[in-house]
Amino acid sequence: MIVLDTNIVLDTFVFNDPATRSLKLALVSKEVQWMATQPMRDELERVLTYPKILARMNFYQLVAADVLAHFDGLARITDVAPKANVTCADPDDQKFIDLAVVLKVPLLSKDRAVLCMAKRLLALDVRACSAIELVA
């Protein structure tokens, strides 16, 4: 099981970043179970309306429904997790940390506010890393 921050979801299903290729294969093959909450999906839906993201989706001939279909088809929605014993500097990222801490699963993110917490999260049995690091 893993938790994916929104930026990793975008890299995987919008930008087709080569660094996330093995992650995408693991998700599609169900080798890895992606855990998420409704607020995570809501955030993704909101981010998909940002002008810079819309421009990239247009370039790749995608629409928000395509990306959300990946989320809906691959992520397992679970209850919102209670607040963890660690607090992220970016409140938008707290929901990802909370779920990863409750489930004690890796949290994939490129966000500095999350990655700078790696040592504190590791003490809670959560590995915070980028998709590249997970594969390595």
Side-chain angles (χ1 to χ4, degrees):
M1 287 191 292
I2 57 171
V3 174
L4 304 179
D5 196 346
T6 302
N7 53 33
I8 297 292
V9 175
L10 293 173
D11 282 352
T12 306
F13 298 108
V14 174
F15 305 130
N16 279 322
D17 183 339
T20 64
R21 193 167 293 136
S22 60
L23 169 64
K24 187 175 188 177
L25 290 172
L27 293 170
V28 170
S29 70
K30 305 290 186 188
E31 179 183 329
V32 174
Q33 178 63 66
W34 172 12
M35 302 300 292
T37 62
Q38 186 61 46
M40 292 174 190
R41 187 189 189 283
D42 296 343
E43 177 178 304
L44 176 61
E45 189 170 17
R46 184 181 74 251
V47 168
L48 292 173
T49 68
Y50 293 177
K52 287 183 179 181
I53 302 298
L54 282 171
R56 295 298 296 226
M57 287 194 311
N58 287 337
F59 176 80
Y60 291 113
Q61 299 179 340
L62 294 170
V63 294
D66 298 327
V67 180
L68 293 170
H70 285 295
F71 187 104
D72 295 338
L74 297 173
R76 181 172 155 216
I77 299 292
T78 189
D79 294 334
V80 172
K83 166 75 176 67
N85 291 337
V86 293
T87 301
C88 186
D90 183 348
D92 287 337
D93 290 321
Q94 190 66 45
K95 62 185 156 287
F96 302 101
I97 291 167
D98 296 340
L99 186 59
V101 168
V102 163
L103 298 175
K104 298 199 180 307
V105 299
L107 169 56
L108 302 188
S109 178
K110 293 189 331 183
D111 192 313
R112 279 184 229 168
V114 172
L115 296 177
C116 76
M117 298 177 64
K119 285 184 182 179
R120 288 182 282 160
L121 289 169
L122 199 53
L124 299 171
D125 298 321
V126 172
R127 183 172 171 212
C129 56
S130 70
I132 298 167
E133 293 168 337
L134 183 72
V135 174

